[in-house]
Amino acid sequence: MLVLVAPGQGAQTPGFLTPWLDLPGVEDRLREWSAAIDLDLVHYGTKADADEIRDTAVAQPLLVAASLVSSRQLFATAEDFTARVGATAGHSVGELAAAALSGTLSEAAAMSLVRKRGLAMAEAAAVTETGMAALLGGDEAAILPHLEKLGLTPANMNGAGQIVAAGTAEQIAALVDDKPEGTRRVVPLKVAGAFHTHHMAPAVSTLESATAELSVADPHTRYVSNKDGQVVTSGQDLVRRLVGQVANPVRWDLCMETFKELGVTGLIEVSPGGTLVGLAKRALPGVQTLALKTPDDLDAARALIAEVTSAAEAGADTAAPAE
């Protein structure tokens, strides 16, 4: 079974969209979305520096746009996607890309919503200087009480020995100086706020209003939620989860457990891929993975899709052997 995943904030790098513009129709689509949401995606994806694309209001639409245009190169239609992909999920803002890929939101609606999400979260982040830091290695039983002692929130439970803490700048600095026993490293992240914590509560009401008039459909492909790793079958429930998730922890560890339970054999992370594939390699041994970074990776991605699809079809046509 193939799982398609979309990355979250922090995956963007300067110029990462440049090679995608050489593909037919990509620049036109990006310019169409840019006009609709009043943000020049082409400029920010090709010419802007690291500080400019670190801005939450820029980074989030940029990431969702990249995930959508890159996935379009792999699947011609929604029917093709459903036939080949067993489940989809996104990390944090990547959930909006997954919501569009699963058919719950149109691409235009996902882009409009992510623009509002980015602006609302940037506004919430501006109230207090906050940030996030990844803890690499260590035991969850030791890490969580240590974070609580420092007043930090475990905002991303990523699995594979990685927890991301979030809080004020002072709390993050204290964590860097006083890491939990057994943790190898504490790495401050290039994000502009304490996402998925109470600091983002003001953004929740903004998104509730923004989603009130959305046209929503039930997903045509299994959608695995960051809230609890559960498969969501209702479009309305999916959108409610998207709204609430802004101020609640991302449980990517539980998402990967669900992938395992569903029988994942292949996992592709759409552009700008890399982070989630790294986690999958440690948490899902034996699963074939591919990070779609540039168009140069498309042939390998298509080959993996064909291999997993062929294996699934062969398995469906073959009776279980006698013991």
Side-chain angles (χ1 to χ4, degrees), residues 115-174:
R115 176 62 164 154
K116 292 171 183 175
R117 183 186 194 268
L119 288 166
M121 292 176 72
E123 185 176 345
V127 174
T128 306
E129 187 180 358
T130 56
M132 305 177 81
L135 293 89
L136 306 181
D139 186 355
E140 184 177 313
I143 291 172
L144 297 185
H146 190 82
L147 296 183
E148 184 176 5
K149 179 187 75 173
L150 296 177
L152 289 158
T153 299
N156 298 168
M157 301 291 286
N158 284 336
Q162 185 186 111
I163 293 174
V164 175
T168 65
E170 292 79 7
Q171 290 166 337
I172 294 293

Side-chain angles (χ1 to χ4, degrees), residues 32-33 36-37 68 100 105-113:
E32 179 183 335
W33 290 338
I37 66 174
L68 294 178
L105 299 176
S106 68
E107 290 183 341
M111 290 304 303
S112 174
L113 185 58

Side-chain angles (χ1 to χ4, degrees), residues 242-296:
L242 287 178
V243 171
Q245 204 57 40
V246 167
N248 286 282
V250 170
R251 294 304 307 266
W252 192 252
D253 56 339
L254 299 181
C255 291
M256 290 195 293
E257 284 298 316
T258 297
F259 299 161
K260 189 185 301 183
E261 291 167 8
L262 291 172
V264 59
T265 56
L267 181 147
I268 293 175
E269 181 182 1
V270 293
S271 180
T275 302
L276 302 182
V277 159
L279 295 172
K281 285 180 176 178
R282 295 191 291 276
L284 301 170
V287 173
Q288 294 187 75
T289 60
L290 187 141
L292 190 56
K293 298 176 183 291
T294 75
D296 289 342

Side-chain angles (χ1 to χ4, degrees), residues 80-100:
D80 184 36
F81 186 94
T82 303
R84 294 173 178 270
V85 178
T88 187
H91 190 286
S92 188
V93 70
E95 284 207 292
L96 277 83

Side-chain angles (χ1 to χ4, degrees), residues 174-260:
L175 177 63
V176 171
D177 291 338
D178 179 22
K179 65 185 180 184
E181 183 178 353
T183 296
R184 297 193 310 275
R185 283 197 301 154
V186 175
V187 183
L189 301 182
K190 296 178 181 179
V191 296
F195 305 137
H196 305 290
T197 72
H198 66 278
H199 292 285
M200 293 294 109
V204 173
S205 58
T206 300
L207 289 179
E208 285 174 341
S209 299
T211 57
E213 303 299 323
L214 277 182
S215 177
V216 175
D218 293 337
H220 54 57
T221 301
R222 292 187 192 94
Y223 179 99
V224 182
S225 170
N226 281 184
K227 180 179 180 180
D228 49 17
Q230 294 300 301
V231 174
V232 180
T233 58
S234 160
Q236 293 293 341
D237 184 25
L238 194 159
V239 170
R240 282 192 293 270
R241 285 166 174 258
L242 287 178
V243 171
Q245 204 57 40
V246 167
N248 286 282
V250 170
R251 294 304 307 266
W252 192 252
D253 56 339
L254 299 181
C255 291
M256 290 195 293
E257 284 298 316
T258 297
F259 299 161
K260 189 185 301 183

